[in-house]
Amino acid sequence: MLSAHCHCVDCRKSSGTGHCTHIVVPMSAFSVQGEVKFYDRPADSGNMVRRGFCPNCGSALYSTNAAMPEMVFPRASSLDDPERVSPQMVVYSSRAPSWDHMDPALPSFAEAPEGGPEQVIKDAQ
C-alpha cells in the first residue's frame, strides 16, 4: 500500500542507524512462518507499537501500531529482495541525523503527515 522512511527516535534506535524503512500492508494480506518475539513500547505519537523480531538472530521483522490495528509494517530490511520496495515519503525528518541523507525528491514531513499515516494511506488508495 505504501512505504516510507522514518526518522523517529524509536526507529533510529531500534534499527541501529538513522532511520527505518517500513512497508504498509493490510493485516489480512500478511503472514509469518516461524517464531517471532515482541517488544512493546509507546511511539512518539503515544500509540503503542509492537516490534517483532527473530528470536534466533535478532533481526527486526515488522511492527504493528495500536492506532492502526488493520495494518502491519514489515521492515524493508527484512526482505530477501529489498529492491522490491520504493519508498514514497520520509516522516519525522526533523529528527534525522545530519549524516543520513534521503532522496530530496521524496515528500518529506518534519513530523507525522497531516492527518497521520491513516490519511496518507487513504490518499494513496
Side-chain angles (χ1 to χ4, degrees):
M1 295 179 73
L2 179 75
S3 61
H5 299 301
C6 181
H7 290 283
C8 79
V9 173
D10 193 51
C11 281
R12 288 193 339 255
K13 288 187 176 190
S14 68
S15 71
T17 189
H19 71 279
C20 285
T21 303
H22 298 283
I23 309 159
V24 181
V25 177
M27 186 66 80
S28 62
F30 184 75
S31 66
V32 174
Q33 294 179 331
E35 186 180 3
V36 178
K37 294 284 186 175
F38 293 94
Y39 175 74
D40 297 348
R41 174 186 164 97
D44 290 355
S45 64
N47 297 314
M48 188 59 69
V49 171
R50 180 166 233 221
R51 298 198 182 280
F53 60 94
C54 174
N56 296 314
C57 71
S59 293
L61 301 172
Y62 66 93
S63 60
T64 59
N65 186 312
M68 296 177 282
E70 70 286 349
M71 300 294 166
V72 63
F73 305 90
R75 291 225 182 152
S77 59
S78 71
L79 299 176
D80 289 333
D81 182 7
E83 291 296 321
R84 295 188 67 189
V85 175
S86 181
Q88 298 158 291
M89 70 179 63
V90 180
V91 298
Y92 289 98
S93 62
S94 65
R95 299 174 191 185
S98 62
W99 47 261
D100 194 12
H101 302 282
M102 297 284 107
D103 180 349
L106 290 175
S108 183
F109 301 89
E111 302 294 323
E114 180 79 25
E118 302 90 339
Q119 188 61 49
V120 172
I121 293 166
K122 286 178 189 173
D123 292 346
Q125 293 177 343

